[in-house]
Amino acid sequence: MAESTIIAARRVDLPPERLVHMYRQMLRIRHFEEQVDLLFQAGRIWGTFHLYIGQEASAVGAIEVLEPDDYITSTHRGHGHSIAKGASIPLMMAELRGKETGYCRGRGGSMHIADVEAGNLGANGIVGGGIPIATGAALACKKLGNGRVVMCFFGDGALAQGAFHEAVNFAAVFKLPVVYVCENNQYAMSMPVARGLGSTDITVRAAAYGLPGVSVDGNDVLAVYEAAKEAVNRARRGEGPTIIETRTYRWRGHSKSDANRYRTKEEIEAWKQRCPIRRFGSFLEGLGILTPVDRDRMEREVEAEIQDAIAFADSQPDPDPAQLADGVYA
Amino acid sequence: MREITYAQAVREALAEEMRRDERVFLMGEDIGVYGGAFGVTLGLIDEFGPERVMDTPLSEAAIIGAAAGAAVLGMRPVAEVQFSDFLTIGSDQLVNQAAKMRYMFGGKARVPMVVRTPAGSGTGAAAQHSQSLETWFMHIPGLKVVAPATPYDAKGLLKSAIRDDNPVVVFEHKLLYKTKGQVPEEDYTVPIGKAAVRREGIDITVIATSIMVLRSLAAADRLAEEGISVEVIDLRSLRPLDAETIVKSVCKTGRAVVVHEANKFAGFGGEIVGTIVESEAFDYLDAPVVRVAGKDVPIPYNPHLERAAVPQEEDIVAACRSLMRQSPRWRALA
């Protein structure tokens, strides 16, 4: 655990309002996830979900680089990517409640939230399953010559999937405009990376495909941003894919059923000390961009936004079983 | 009308659809200069170039997944999986991704992609290059599955598949590639989900796909000499299934034989039998419905064993004769 607890001093080439926006996006993810957990405990969300708490800097730092018409693919732990890509929180909440007006008309739930029109090609219930999809989307972007790029998120567990190897090699061969973002949250469910991977060095893997690979502090939103910026620029220039590793940590269990038997409270606490939101907030205070009062106010605004989304979802209709088969075929 | 081979018919469909729609492109292993393992795409790279006739790495999951990802963005990829056995390697992308994307996303995505793949035994390629796995994929809501028997249908169904907004899996039997048939030069399509009555008859309905249609027709010729009149239905599409044509025919004949190359256990014959007995045709049955299918073994190498593993013309003839002997009218005559 060599990560710093502060944001490294660096030249910040983003205007203050962008930085504040990024901070707000991280807060929105954090509060959304906390409320999802509470709603589940209260029996108002069922099924399963995978909380992104602790990893917010990864999604926000990377997606902030994208243009609105660029694409992402996400994972089973996908709420953060959706929010960072600009998803409507009320529609996400409606989907988690299984409502007809949710993103997937209640057919998908947490693991399948998508908004193709807005460039979110979907969360995914299969570890590594989105990597070939992202690669194909990048192939389409290249063929269409539309200048767009695809950002493909997956976890450290997906590095052990065959789909990762096949798709990354494929993208390398055709120099596709895709950025692979491996969010290393240290565990593939209960398997620590050091036990589940022959090599934990992402740059070694990238080199094997002839690609640049970079590993960054995934709890430092600006470090993620900088790495993603370089990778996205490279992709847009037609120079092909990059693999980025964001080193981060999930605070909560893998899913709702996780009793955390495979790690210690001390380890979790140590990572909480490097909370990506607190670090970025302190950094912005240090620059004089935010005051403690601003931060409190933003927290309350975001809390209210999430509560409004919960109320919206409450008011929405369930899908009609008579329309069960809608959407199987076009 | 001119006659061309099944392989030429497939190639023409690909070429014409690529000329017609610039979103259509091909991806697969060795489909460029090599022309594909069975020569189906030979020469296409000369007209359309390597951007539209893409030689890919040996990566079925990447090929099928990339097709799905490109399709969601509006392209119309046609992926070739070199042997249908290799669908297993890419099946997560087909079954969990492409097939379900639209439904999972609340009906808000389109996945207009085609997977073409050579299937079946008869070439001595043994257990990992000879299977008939169509039942695996017809079981999956969200996929369409076709298995054309003639050059005319190979071209017309492939064109329909390319123009369809859903993932379609096209099983092409290797032994059919060199068969010839009449194919018009002008543009036409064959609708997905419509069976064809290849031969009319009154005693038995034989229901088949792909190469088994040819064997069933040959069997019907022989049975006709014995006074048994066989109606042969070529399903052409397995999903969606043309239940109406099957039921109507069985209501007429009162006897049904389902023929498929895939091994019998949990093969699509069970689905066809279920379709018949759940329908009004049940009341017209004069005999049990019979399945003539592959033996429940991996396809063996030795040519005598390989032949014995899958239905041949004589197996269909024998099944039909036996069925006639069981039925009340013929027992009364005897």
Side-chain angles (χ1 to χ4, degrees), chain A residues 103 124 143 166 324 329-330, chain B residues 51 61 97 103 143 166 239:
Chain A
Y103 266 115
N124 210 304
K143 284 184 173 296
E166 289 198 17
L324 172 68
Y329 292 98
Chain B
E51 303 279 314
Q97 310 294 340
Y103 191 79
L143 296 181
N166 300 284
R239 186 185 187 110

Side-chain angles (χ1 to χ4, degrees), chain A residues 29-42:
Chain A
I29 295 169
R30 174 71 55 93
H31 283 269
F32 181 86
E33 297 291 59
E34 285 175 345
Q35 290 302 315
V36 165
D37 203 18
L38 291 174
L39 287 168
F40 178 77
Q41 288 170 32

Side-chain angles (χ1 to χ4, degrees), chain B residues 143-167:
Chain B
L143 296 181
K144 295 185 178 182
V145 177
V146 301
T150 66
Y152 181 94
D153 284 351
K155 184 171 178 183
L157 276 170
L158 181 53
K159 285 188 162 219
S160 290
I162 292 169
R163 298 179 196 182
D164 200 284
D165 278 338
N166 300 284

Side-chain angles (χ1 to χ4, degrees), chain B residues 31-276:
Chain B
I31 65 169
V33 175
Y34 193 103
F38 295 90
V40 173
T41 55
L42 197 64
L44 291 178
I45 195 167
D46 300 329
E47 178 177 352
F48 299 100
E51 303 279 314
R52 293 185 78 192
V53 182
M54 291 175 62
D55 274 326
T56 67
L58 307 189
S59 302
E60 285 76 13
I63 294 167
I64 297 173
V72 171
L73 264 63
M75 301 298 290
R76 292 191 169 269
V78 182
E80 176 175 303
V81 170
Q82 196 166 67
F83 286 81
S84 70
D85 314 71
F86 306 166
L87 284 170
T88 59
I89 311 167
S91 61
D92 171 62
Q93 291 298 318
L94 192 53
V95 171
N96 285 323
Q97 310 294 340
K100 295 178 173 58
M101 216 180 277
R102 180 175 176 81
Y103 191 79
M104 292 189 303
F105 297 174
K108 296 170 191 170
R110 282 175 201 276
V111 191
M113 62 181 274
V114 176
V115 177
R116 294 180 36 245
T117 189
S121 67
T123 65
Q128 297 170 339
H129 291 73
S130 302
Q131 292 170 91
S132 300
L133 296 176
E134 58 280 347
T135 311
W136 287 33
F137 300 95
M138 64 184 279
H139 189 61
I140 304 301
L143 296 181
K144 295 185 178 182
V145 177
V146 301
T150 66
Y152 181 94
D153 284 351
K155 184 171 178 183
L157 276 170
L158 181 53
K159 285 188 162 219
S160 290
I162 292 169
R163 298 179 196 182
D164 200 284
D165 278 338
N166 300 284
V168 184
V169 187
V170 183
F171 287 93
E172 299 165 357
H173 201 290
K174 292 154 212 160
L175 297 185
L176 293 176
Y177 280 134
K178 289 181 178 164
T179 59
K180 283 191 162 183
Q182 293 193 333
V183 176
E185 294 189 46
E186 60 272 22
D187 183 45
Y188 70 96
T189 59
V190 171
I192 296 173
K194 287 281 177 211
V197 177
R198 295 293 181 202
R199 177 191 178 110
E200 294 196 4
I202 56 168
D203 293 323
I204 301 179
T205 301
V206 171
I207 300 145
T209 61
S210 190
I211 195 167
M212 291 302 152
V213 173
L214 275 58
R215 291 185 191 163
S216 298
L217 287 168
D221 282 344
R222 278 170 57 184
L223 290 160
E225 292 166 12
E226 301 170 19
I228 300 173
S229 165
V230 175
E231 179 145 306
V232 177
I233 294 178
D234 175 1
L235 290 174
R236 304 197 284 194
S237 300
L238 287 162
R239 186 185 187 110
L241 184 67
D242 184 356
E244 191 185 337
T245 296
I246 299 168
V247 169
K248 192 174 151 200
S249 175
V250 178
C251 285
K252 178 175 76 175
T253 62
R255 298 175 197 85
V257 175
V258 189
V259 187
H260 61 65
E261 177 166 336
N263 55 310
K264 187 173 184 177
F265 190 86
F268 76 76
E271 184 58 36
I272 306 301
V273 174
T275 299
I276 293 168

Side-chain angles (χ1 to χ4, degrees), chain A residues 9-46:
Chain A
R10 59 166 59 79
R11 191 176 62 82
V12 181
D13 61 356
L14 288 167
E17 58 272 21
R18 280 287 293 284
L19 296 170
V20 172
H21 168 74
M22 289 164 76
Y23 181 72
R24 182 183 289 274
Q25 289 290 68
M26 290 164 73
L27 278 182
R28 293 171 84 223
I29 295 169
R30 174 71 55 93
H31 283 269
F32 181 86
E33 297 291 59
E34 285 175 345
Q35 290 302 315
V36 165
D37 203 18
L38 291 174
L39 287 168
F40 178 77
Q41 288 170 32
R44 292 167 69 193
I45 288 179
W46 85 315

